[in-house]
Amino acid sequence: GFRTCVLTNSWLDDGAGRSLTAALLQRLRSRFHLVLESCRLGMRKPDPGIYSYALEELGVQPQEV
């Protein structure tokens, strides 16, 4: 009954090793309900907005986490 989330502080990777990063994120997506990347949200930890977004996407209240 638990929903899980990965919340990354990351950047868009256009380097030569980007396929490794993409492969890692794909593996994470297959194992967690939600994977949120700060670079795609336009927010980063510790911005409270990123946590609020994660809670909303998971459909939970702070006291449930």
Side-chain angles (χ1 to χ4, degrees):
F2 289 103
R3 292 187 45 89
T4 58
C5 175
V6 173
L7 180 56
T8 70
N9 247 2
S10 59
W11 56 93
L12 292 176
D13 186 0
D14 62 353
R18 68 183 173 264
S19 62
L20 295 174
T21 303
L24 172 62
L25 287 170
Q26 188 58 37
R27 288 194 79 175
L28 290 173
R29 285 187 181 93
S30 70
R31 288 169 170 74
F32 291 86
H33 292 100
L34 184 63
V35 176
L36 298 174
E37 298 175 77
S38 61
C39 60
R40 300 196 186 279
L41 297 174
M43 297 178 273
R44 63 180 184 186
K45 299 182 287 187
D47 181 340
I50 200 167
Y51 299 107
S52 297
Y53 184 85
L55 291 171
E56 185 177 319
E57 288 294 307
L58 287 169
V60 297
Q61 297 297 314
Q63 63 273 18
E64 297 175 292
V65 179

